[in-house]
Amino acid sequence: MEKQTNGKTRTNDEEKIQESHEAQANMWKCVFGFTELAVIKCAIELGIADFLGKNQEPISLNQLSIALGCCSSSLYRILRFLINREIFKETSTKNGKSGYVQTPLSRLLIKEGENSMAAFLLFESSPVMLAPWHNLSARISSKYNSTPAFEAAHGKDVWKYAEADPKHSNLLNNAMACDARVAVSAIIDGCPEIFEGVNTVVDVGGGDGTTLRLLVEAFPWINGINFDLPHVASVAPHAIGVVHVGGDMFNYVPKADAAFLMWVLHDWSDEECIQILTKCREAIPQDNGKVIILEAIIGGEEESIIRGSNNEKLKDVGLMLDMVMMAHTSNGKERTSKEWAYVLNEAGFNRHTISHINAVQSVIQAYPS
């Protein structure tokens, strides 16, 4: 019995040591977690993915450094770091030398690539968007969340800041357009039926109109109204089948068969969401109109069941987004399905459905009757 007891003791001690080592390794990743964002941003700015994307064959370090005008030794270290994260891949060239090629991850860094996420990363890694994170603890430690982290950093909220800074506003619009290309593609593939019988769509907070442009291309019977703040709508590019209208969604929403909101409501408190949704309800036909919402849904066993094997990764992104809302908005948050049901019911929507698509967001369809 003594040997068995000693064996158990040794096993428990070994487990504790292993857990301690794993904890230290994970904490080091947290300590230097910012390096991934910074190095990927560097790769985008250098145009590594853009250049490799133009070539079918592996590109040597010498070729790449000459093409990009980079120091070859520094470029090698950048690539070594990214390859370790499956961003780019090292392989052999025709003459047997070491060369570099794209991976599924690195293709998402091509600035003009299909489903590119480069603009979103450049936006979130900008000094303007990074600064509020240093004020997060101050906001939380205040009993009443008195000063939002973004306002503490910049003296105004994110919307007023963008209105006053055209360069930042452009970064914001490009990031939202970047996400729109991914999300709309997922809608088209996953639930195109939601636009059957819908002749007019108002995209509330539609930015530069990318979302509606893609929807009109996929569903050409749709007439689109891109509705956003005047300083955004006034510079939105022309798109066939889309008109740009400036205004304030808290005051009114243009009439349409369906109102569309993508990553808008998570920027606002429950009370503000109810105000926005009420204006949307007033803008659509009460008998057959609907509001289509694209937002992340966090938590809950039902989400795990429907999303399946990809749920854990998407769940983590949803929780990250909730922290982003805390840092970048005054009262925004990501919501559970129950929390979505609450704001929809309070805004006068008697029923709603939720459809999960191959994106961070899910599709919520809300009906007034």
Coordinates of all heavy atoms in Angstrom, one line a residue, residues 238-285:
H238 N -20.5 55.1 -56.3 CA -21.7 54.7 -57.0 C -21.8 53.2 -57.2 O -20.8 52.6 -57.4 CB -21.7 55.4 -58.4 CG -22.8 54.9 -59.3 ND1 -24.1 55.3 -59.2 CD2 -22.7 54.1 -60.4 CE1 -24.8 54.7 -60.2 NE2 -24.0 53.9 -60.9
A239 N -23.0 52.7 -57.1 CA -23.2 51.2 -57.3 C -24.5 51.1 -58.0 O -25.5 51.7 -57.6 CB -23.2 50.5 -56.0
I240 N -24.6 50.2 -59.0 CA -25.8 50.0 -59.7 C -26.9 49.3 -58.8 O -26.6 48.4 -58.1 CB -25.6 49.0 -60.9 CG1 -24.6 49.7 -61.9 CG2 -26.9 48.6 -61.6 CD1 -24.2 48.8 -63.0
G241 N -28.1 49.9 -58.8 CA -29.2 49.4 -58.0 C -29.1 49.9 -56.6 O -29.9 49.4 -55.8
V242 N -28.2 50.8 -56.2 CA -28.1 51.3 -54.9 C -28.1 52.8 -54.8 O -27.4 53.5 -55.6 CB -26.8 50.8 -54.2 CG1 -26.6 51.4 -52.8 CG2 -26.7 49.3 -54.2
V243 N -28.9 53.4 -53.9 CA -28.9 54.8 -53.7 C -28.4 55.1 -52.3 O -28.7 54.3 -51.4 CB -30.3 55.5 -53.9 CG1 -30.8 55.4 -55.3 CG2 -31.3 54.8 -53.0
H244 N -27.6 56.1 -52.1 CA -27.1 56.4 -50.8 C -27.9 57.6 -50.2 O -28.1 58.6 -50.8 CB -25.6 56.9 -51.0 CG -24.7 55.8 -51.6 ND1 -24.5 54.6 -51.1 CD2 -24.1 55.8 -52.9 CE1 -23.7 53.9 -51.9 NE2 -23.5 54.6 -53.0
V245 N -28.2 57.4 -48.9 CA -29.1 58.3 -48.2 C -28.4 58.6 -46.9 O -28.1 57.7 -46.1 CB -30.5 57.8 -48.0 CG1 -31.3 58.8 -47.2 CG2 -31.2 57.5 -49.3
G246 N -28.2 59.9 -46.5 CA -27.6 60.3 -45.3 C -28.7 60.6 -44.2 O -29.8 61.1 -44.6
G247 N -28.5 60.2 -43.0 CA -29.4 60.4 -41.9 C -29.0 59.8 -40.6 O -27.9 59.2 -40.5
D248 N -29.9 59.8 -39.7 CA -29.6 59.3 -38.3 C -30.6 58.2 -38.0 O -31.8 58.5 -37.9 CB -29.7 60.5 -37.3 CG -29.3 60.0 -35.9 OD1 -29.3 58.8 -35.6 OD2 -29.0 60.9 -35.1
M249 N -30.2 57.0 -37.8 CA -31.1 55.9 -37.6 C -31.9 56.0 -36.3 O -32.9 55.3 -36.1 CB -30.3 54.6 -37.6 CG -29.3 54.5 -36.5 SD -28.3 53.0 -36.7 CE -27.1 53.2 -35.4
F250 N -31.5 56.9 -35.4 CA -32.2 57.1 -34.1 C -33.4 58.0 -34.4 O -34.4 58.1 -33.6 CB -31.3 57.7 -33.1 CG -30.4 56.8 -32.5 CD1 -29.1 56.7 -32.9 CD2 -30.8 55.9 -31.5 CE1 -28.1 55.8 -32.4 CE2 -29.9 54.9 -30.9 CZ -28.6 54.9 -31.4
N251 N -33.4 58.7 -35.5 CA -34.5 59.6 -35.9 C -35.5 59.0 -36.9 O -36.7 59.1 -36.7 CB -34.0 60.9 -36.4 CG -33.2 61.7 -35.4 OD1 -33.5 61.7 -34.2 ND2 -32.2 62.5 -35.9
Y252 N -35.0 58.3 -37.9 CA -35.9 57.7 -38.9 C -35.0 56.7 -39.7 O -33.8 56.7 -39.7 CB -36.5 58.7 -39.8 CG -35.6 59.1 -40.9 CD1 -35.8 58.6 -42.2 CD2 -34.6 60.1 -40.7 CE1 -35.0 59.1 -43.3 CE2 -33.8 60.5 -41.7 CZ -34.0 60.0 -43.0 OH -33.2 60.4 -44.0
V253 N -35.7 55.8 -40.4 CA -35.1 54.8 -41.3 C -36.0 54.9 -42.6 O -37.2 54.8 -42.5 CB -35.1 53.4 -40.7 CG1 -34.7 52.4 -41.8 CG2 -34.1 53.3 -39.5
P254 N -35.3 55.0 -43.8 CA -36.1 55.0 -45.0 C -37.0 53.8 -45.2 O -36.6 52.7 -44.7 CB -35.0 55.1 -46.1 CG -33.8 55.7 -45.4 CD -33.9 55.2 -44.0
K255 N -38.1 54.0 -45.8 CA -39.1 52.9 -46.0 C -38.5 51.8 -47.0 O -37.8 52.1 -48.0 CB -40.4 53.4 -46.6 CG -41.1 54.5 -45.8 CD -41.7 53.8 -44.6 CE -42.6 54.9 -43.8 NZ -43.2 54.3 -42.6
A256 N -38.8 50.5 -46.7 CA -38.3 49.4 -47.5 C -39.1 48.2 -47.1 O -39.7 48.1 -46.1 CB -36.8 49.2 -47.4
D257 N -39.0 47.1 -48.0 CA -39.6 45.8 -47.6 C -38.9 45.2 -46.5 O -39.5 44.5 -45.7 CB -39.6 44.9 -48.8 CG -40.4 45.4 -50.0 OD1 -41.4 46.1 -49.7 OD2 -40.1 45.0 -51.1
A258 N -37.6 45.4 -46.4 CA -36.8 44.8 -45.3 C -35.7 45.8 -44.9 O -35.1 46.5 -45.8 CB -36.2 43.5 -45.8
A259 N -35.5 45.8 -43.6 CA -34.3 46.6 -43.1 C -33.2 45.6 -42.8 O -33.5 44.5 -42.3 CB -34.7 47.4 -41.9
F260 N -32.0 46.0 -43.1 CA -30.8 45.1 -43.0 C -29.8 45.8 -42.1 O -29.5 46.9 -42.3 CB -30.2 44.8 -44.4 CG -29.1 43.8 -44.4 CD1 -29.4 42.5 -44.6 CD2 -27.8 44.2 -44.2 CE1 -28.3 41.6 -44.7 CE2 -26.8 43.3 -44.2 CZ -27.0 42.0 -44.4
L261 N -29.4 45.1 -41.0 CA -28.4 45.7 -40.1 C -27.3 44.6 -39.9 O -27.6 43.5 -39.4 CB -29.0 46.0 -38.8 CG -30.2 47.1 -38.8 CD1 -31.5 46.3 -38.7 CD2 -30.0 48.0 -37.6
M262 N -26.1 45.0 -40.2 CA -25.0 44.1 -40.0 C -23.9 44.7 -39.1 O -23.4 45.8 -39.4 CB -24.3 43.7 -41.4 CG -23.2 42.7 -41.2 SD -22.6 42.0 -42.8 CE -21.8 43.5 -43.4
W263 N -23.7 44.1 -38.0 CA -22.7 44.6 -37.0 C -23.0 46.1 -36.7 O -22.0 46.9 -36.7 CB -21.3 44.4 -37.5 CG -20.7 43.1 -37.0 CD1 -21.4 42.1 -36.3 CD2 -19.4 42.6 -37.2 NE1 -20.6 41.1 -36.0 CE2 -19.3 41.3 -36.6 CE3 -18.3 43.1 -37.8 CZ2 -18.2 40.6 -36.6 CZ3 -17.1 42.3 -37.8 CH2 -17.1 41.1 -37.2
V264 N -24.2 46.4 -36.5 CA -24.6 47.7 -36.1 C -25.1 47.7 -34.6 O -24.6 48.5 -33.8 CB -25.7 48.3 -37.0 CG1 -26.3 49.6 -36.4 CG2 -25.2 48.5 -38.4
L265 N -26.0 46.8 -34.3 CA -26.6 46.8 -33.0 C -25.7 46.4 -31.9 O -25.9 46.9 -30.7 CB -27.8 45.8 -33.0 CG -29.0 46.2 -34.0 CD1 -30.0 45.1 -34.0 CD2 -29.6 47.5 -33.6
H266 N -24.6 45.7 -32.2 CA -23.7 45.3 -31.1 C -22.9 46.6 -30.6 O -22.2 46.5 -29.6 CB -22.8 44.2 -31.5 CG -21.7 44.6 -32.5 ND1 -20.7 43.7 -32.8 CD2 -21.5 45.7 -33.3 CE1 -19.9 44.3 -33.7 NE2 -20.4 45.5 -34.0
D267 N -23.0 47.7 -31.3 CA -22.3 48.9 -30.9 C -23.1 49.7 -29.8 O -22.6 50.6 -29.3 CB -22.2 49.8 -32.1 CG -21.2 49.3 -33.1 OD1 -20.2 48.6 -32.7 OD2 -21.4 49.6 -34.3
W268 N -24.3 49.2 -29.5 CA -25.2 50.0 -28.7 C -25.8 49.2 -27.5 O -25.8 48.0 -27.5 CB -26.4 50.6 -29.6 CG -25.9 51.3 -30.8 CD1 -25.7 50.8 -32.0 CD2 -25.4 52.7 -30.8 NE1 -25.2 51.8 -32.9 CE2 -25.0 52.9 -32.1 CE3 -25.3 53.7 -29.9 CZ2 -24.5 54.2 -32.5 CZ3 -24.8 54.9 -30.3 CH2 -24.4 55.1 -31.6
S269 N -26.3 50.0 -26.5 CA -26.9 49.4 -25.3 C -28.3 48.8 -25.7 O -28.8 49.0 -26.8 CB -27.1 50.4 -24.3 OG -28.1 51.4 -24.7
D270 N -28.9 48.0 -24.8 CA -30.2 47.4 -25.1 C -31.2 48.5 -25.4 O -32.0 48.4 -26.3 CB -30.7 46.6 -23.9 CG -29.9 45.3 -23.7 OD1 -29.2 44.9 -24.6 OD2 -30.1 44.6 -22.7
E271 N -31.2 49.6 -24.6 CA -32.2 50.7 -24.8 C -32.0 51.3 -26.1 O -33.0 51.6 -26.8 CB -32.0 51.7 -23.7 CG -32.4 51.2 -22.3 CD -31.4 50.3 -21.7 OE1 -30.2 50.3 -22.2 OE2 -31.7 49.6 -20.7
E272 N -30.7 51.5 -26.5 CA -30.5 52.1 -27.9 C -30.8 51.2 -29.0 O -31.4 51.6 -30.0 CB -29.0 52.5 -27.9 CG -28.6 53.7 -27.0 CD -27.2 53.9 -26.8 OE1 -26.4 52.9 -26.7 OE2 -26.7 55.0 -26.7
C273 N -30.6 49.9 -28.8 CA -31.0 48.9 -29.8 C -32.5 48.9 -30.0 O -33.0 48.8 -31.1 CB -30.5 47.5 -29.4 SG -28.8 47.1 -29.7
I274 N -33.2 49.0 -28.9 CA -34.7 49.0 -29.0 C -35.1 50.2 -29.8 O -36.1 50.2 -30.6 CB -35.3 49.0 -27.6 CG1 -35.0 47.6 -26.9 CG2 -36.8 49.3 -27.6 CD1 -35.2 47.6 -25.4
Q275 N -34.5 51.4 -29.6 CA -34.8 52.6 -30.3 C -34.6 52.4 -31.8 O -35.4 52.7 -32.7 CB -34.0 53.8 -29.8 CG -34.3 54.3 -28.4 CD -33.4 55.4 -28.1 OE1 -33.2 56.4 -28.8 NE2 -32.8 55.3 -26.9
I276 N -33.4 51.8 -32.2 CA -33.1 51.6 -33.6 C -34.0 50.6 -34.2 O -34.5 50.8 -35.3 CB -31.6 51.1 -33.7 CG1 -30.6 52.2 -33.2 CG2 -31.3 50.7 -35.1 CD1 -29.2 51.6 -33.0
L277 N -34.3 49.5 -33.5 CA -35.2 48.5 -34.0 C -36.6 49.0 -34.2 O -37.3 48.6 -35.1 CB -35.1 47.3 -33.1 CG -33.9 46.4 -33.2 CD1 -33.8 45.4 -32.1 CD2 -33.8 45.7 -34.6
T278 N -37.0 49.9 -33.3 CA -38.4 50.5 -33.4 C -38.5 51.3 -34.7 O -39.5 51.2 -35.4 CB -38.7 51.3 -32.2 OG1 -38.6 50.5 -31.0 CG2 -40.0 52.0 -32.3
K279 N -37.4 52.1 -35.0 CA -37.4 52.9 -36.2 C -37.4 51.9 -37.4 O -38.1 52.3 -38.5 CB -36.2 53.8 -36.2 CG -36.2 54.9 -35.2 CD -37.5 55.8 -35.3 CE -37.5 56.8 -34.2 NZ -38.8 57.6 -34.3
C280 N -36.7 50.8 -37.3 CA -36.7 49.9 -38.4 C -38.1 49.2 -38.6 O -38.6 49.1 -39.7 CB -35.7 48.8 -38.2 SG -34.0 49.3 -38.3
R281 N -38.8 48.9 -37.5 CA -40.1 48.3 -37.6 C -41.1 49.3 -38.2 O -41.9 48.9 -39.0 CB -40.6 48.0 -36.2 CG -42.0 47.4 -36.1 CD -42.4 46.9 -34.8 NE -42.2 47.9 -33.7 CZ -43.1 48.9 -33.5 NH1 -44.1 49.0 -34.3 NH2 -42.8 49.7 -32.5
E282 N -40.9 50.6 -37.9 CA -41.8 51.6 -38.5 C -41.5 51.8 -40.0 O -42.4 52.3 -40.7 CB -41.6 53.0 -37.8 CG -42.0 52.9 -36.3 CD -41.6 54.2 -35.6 OE1 -40.9 55.0 -36.1 OE2 -42.0 54.3 -34.4
A283 N -40.4 51.4 -40.5 CA -40.0 51.6 -41.9 C -40.4 50.5 -42.8 O -40.4 50.6 -44.0 CB -38.5 51.8 -42.0
I284 N -40.8 49.3 -42.2 CA -41.2 48.2 -43.1 C -42.7 47.9 -43.0 O -43.4 48.3 -42.1 CB -40.4 46.9 -42.6 CG1 -40.8 46.6 -41.1 CG2 -38.9 47.1 -42.8 CD1 -40.2 45.3 -40.6
P285 N -43.3 47.2 -44.0 CA -44.7 46.9 -44.0 C -45.0 46.0 -42.8 O -44.2 45.1 -42.5 CB -44.9 46.1 -45.3 CG -43.7 46.5 -46.2 CD -42.6 46.8 -45.3

